[in-house]
Every structure is written in structure tokens, then in C-alpha cells.
């Protein structure tokens, strides 16, 4: 089966790219399942119910989140409604929402797990132990398991890839908004890439107006972030997974701009 994972959708420009291109990508590349990171899809980060529905209507099957999970209060309702939207699994026990979801593609169960890194991010529970915990139950349900690791540090992401090699179908990173060129299949059959990039404003700094970020670096004065305008890009990966073994047979980066 073919799985498309879309890198962090930033604001209206990112959502427009999804609306304009996702249908064509799904058809042309024969995508069976689409996962998208939506934690920056609303203005001021987070996700609203209307935006989640907009993304689902555009063809997204599963929405993942990250450190901006709580930025819009709508997320609590989305979790209550059991929408296919997940937050990192390594939040403490009792946190609203779920860290994984079971989706269906080609009539097969696909488990999608969302994790957050801890290096330069919130000090959540250990993502390695959290994923082990999720895998105990999920590996009995399906052998097609995809892990999105929303993390900053490349070392932590690479470590997670190797840690899960042979245990899951794929591990890919999000959060940095910069697509890395290290896509590969690890020896145990796990597809891996450090970061799948960003779907949002092209002439920007991680999606934000470049002048604001440059000023912040130079002046050290706080300034409100504003999403950049102008042309946008679509970033993601296409994974091909052997349904009988759960192993990845190909991983390719996708860039549309
Ligand atoms: Fe993030």
C-alpha cells in the first residue's frame, strides 16, 4: 500500500496547498492512506474543528499534532468526538486525546502513532518507553505501524529510527519544517527520514514572515509571529509498504512548489 505523509501544514497557505494538490497527488500516486501534521494549520498554531474538517474533506485520513496541540481549545472537542486526530503518545497518563489511531487502507488496519521528542521541547514522558508501551498492544492488531516523531533534535530522531527498526513500518520526523534528504530503508525494513518538511509559505522562515524572525534574532525583542504570504510549497513523503510483512519497500520525498 502507499501512504502519503504531509509535513507540517502552516496556516492558510499550507491549507490551500492541500486543497489544491492533495486530490491530484492521491490519484496520480495511487495513495491509499494520507496522514498530515496539522498542529500549525490554524492562525497562531494549533487546529480548529473547522480546519480539521477542511483537511479531512480534502482527503486527509489521519491528522497528527505536536507541541502546539493545546493552542486551540477546539482540540478537546475533536478528541471527544474521536475524530482521527492524535497527539503525542508520551503526554502523561490521563491527558485528553489518544497517542495512536487505527486507520484503514486497502481493507487493512494501519496503526499511526504520534510521539514528541524531549530535546529542546517539553519534558514529556520518555518517547522510547511510550512507543514500546503502545507497540505492546498495537503489534497484536496489525503489522503496519507508522510512527511520526515530532521532534527538534536530529540525534533524537535518528535514535528513534534505529530503536524502532524492524519493529514498525516507518518512522518519520516532523516539527523542524525543513525537509531532510536522508530518506532510507533501515536494515530491518523500517522506512526512515529525519524530517518530511513543511507545507506552507515558501519565502518564509519556517512559515513565519522572514522580517519578523530576522528582527527577533537581531533585536531580541518579542514580536508577534505572522504567517508569511506569497508562494507556498507542499512537502511530504510517499511510503510503499508491503502489506504482508509490514515492511517499507520504498520511501520517496515529495516536493511541490
Ligand atoms: Fe511543532
Amino acid at each position: 500500500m502507499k501512504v502519503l505523509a504531509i509535513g507540517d501544514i502552516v496556516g492558510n497557505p499550507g491549507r490551500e496547498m492541500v486543497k489544491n494538490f492533495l486530490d491530484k497527488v492521491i490519484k496520480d500516486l495511487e495513495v491509499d492512506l494520507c496522514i498530515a501534521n496539522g498542529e500549525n494549520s490554524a492562525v497562531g498554531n494549533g487546529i480548529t474543528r473547522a480546519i480539521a474538517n477542511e483537511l479531512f474533506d480534502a482527503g486527509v485520513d489521519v491528522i497528527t499534532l505536536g507541541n502546539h496541540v493545546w493552542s486551540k481549545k477546539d482540540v478537546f472537542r475533536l478528541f471527544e468526538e474521536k475524530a482521527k486526530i492524535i497527539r503525542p503518545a508520551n503526554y502523561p497518563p490521563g491527558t485528553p486525546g489518544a497517542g495512536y489511531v487505527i486507520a484503514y487502507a486497502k481493507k487493512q488496519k494501519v496503526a499511526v502513532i504520534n510521539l514528541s521528542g524531549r530535546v529542546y521541547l517539553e519534558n514529556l514522558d520518555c518517547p522510547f518507553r511510550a512507543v514500546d508501551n503502545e507497540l505492546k498492544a498495537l503489534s497484536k492488531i496489525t503489522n503496519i505501524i507508522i510512527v511520526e516523531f515530532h521532534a527538534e533534535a536530529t540525534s533524537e530522531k535518528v535514535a528513534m529510527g534505529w530503536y524502532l527498526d524492524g519493529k514498525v513500518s516507518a518512522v518519520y520526523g516532523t516539527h523542524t519544517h525543513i525537509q531532510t534528504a536522508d530518506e532510507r530503508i533501515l536494515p530491518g525494513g523500517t522506512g526512515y527520514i529525519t524530517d518530511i518538511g513543511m507545507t506552507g509559505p515558501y519565502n518564509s522562515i519556517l512559515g513565519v514572515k522572514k522580517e519578523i524572525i530576522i528582527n527577533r534574532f537581531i533585536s531580541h525583542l518579542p514580536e508577534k509571529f505572522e504567517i508569511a504570504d506569497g508562494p507556498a510549497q507542499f512537502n511530504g513523503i510517499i511510503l510503499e509498504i508491503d502489506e504482508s510483512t509490514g515492511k517499507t519497500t520504498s520511501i520517496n520525498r515529495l516536493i511541490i512548489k
Side-chain angles (χ1 to χ4, degrees):
M1 71 170 64
K2 279 188 174 178
V3 177
L4 164 67
I6 304 175
D8 307 39
I9 299 165
V10 176
N12 195 46
R15 277 153 34 216
E16 283 299 311
M17 286 303 276
V18 171
K19 278 189 269 180
N20 294 341
F21 290 98
L22 183 53
D23 197 43
K24 187 170 162 48
V25 169
I26 289 174
K27 283 192 186 116
D28 289 357
L29 301 177
E30 298 171 325
V31 170
D32 301 298
L33 184 78
C34 173
I35 306 163
N37 184 287
E39 73 144 8
N40 299 292
S41 56
V43 174
N45 306 122
I47 191 163
T48 64
R49 196 160 170 264
I51 289 173
N53 288 329
E54 197 182 292
L55 297 176
F56 288 134
D57 288 345
V60 172
D61 298 298
V62 173
I63 298 173
T64 54
L65 299 167
N67 51 309
H68 296 302
V69 50
W70 313 115
S71 297
K72 296 279 179 288
K73 62 180 187 319
D74 273 15
V75 82
F76 293 98
R77 191 158 161 211
L78 286 161
F79 288 157
E80 272 167 29
E81 290 169 348
K82 302 246 181 295
K84 283 201 164 29
I85 176 162
I86 53 177
R87 45 90 182 146
N90 48 325
Y91 272 94
T95 300
Y100 76 89
V101 70
I102 304 286
Y104 289 84
K106 292 182 105 179
K107 295 182 181 162
Q108 302 227 34
K109 286 178 179 157
V110 180
V112 183
I113 304 173
N114 195 182
L115 292 172
S116 172
R118 297 195 292 185
V119 179
Y120 307 124
L121 279 171
E122 237 180 302
N123 198 12
L124 301 177
D125 291 350
C126 172
F128 296 87
R129 289 187 186 92
V131 77
D132 276 345
N133 203 31
E134 300 291 0
L135 288 177
K136 260 184 238 161
L138 292 174
S139 51
K140 289 184 190 126
I141 296 169
T142 180
N143 62 355
I144 307 169
I145 301 171
I146 296 165
V147 175
E148 178 181 314
F149 194 26
H150 195 79
E152 180 77 37
T154 49
S155 59
E156 196 180 17
K157 287 157 128 168
V158 177
M160 184 62 77
W162 282 108
Y163 184 68
L164 293 177
D165 182 29
K167 296 181 200 162
V168 304
S169 307
V171 177
Y172 65 85
T174 54
H175 178 70
T176 69
H177 294 199
I178 301 293
Q179 191 178 76
T180 56
D182 60 338
E183 73 278 16
R184 60 183 288 186
I185 299 171
L186 297 171
T190 297
Y192 176 80
I193 180 168
T194 299
D195 206 292
I196 63 172
M198 169 191 72
T199 297
Y202 183 54
N203 295 323
S204 70
I205 298 174
L206 314 184
V208 176
K209 276 188 182 162
K210 52 188 185 304
E211 299 76 15
I212 293 174
I213 303 294
I214 293 168
N215 281 343
R216 218 164 114 131
F217 276 115
I218 293 170
S219 71
H220 289 267
L221 291 171
E223 199 171 338
K224 201 174 167 227
F225 282 9
E226 269 177 65
I227 292 167
D229 33 36
Q233 63 178 19
F234 185 119
N235 277 183
I237 49 159
I238 299 276
L239 297 159
E240 204 155 353
I241 298 168
D242 180 326
E243 292 129 49
S244 57
T245 62
K247 293 185 189 304
T248 286
T249 55
S250 75
I251 174 168
N252 287 292
R253 287 181 287 129
L254 181 68
I255 303 169
I256 304 169
K257 59 188 180 205

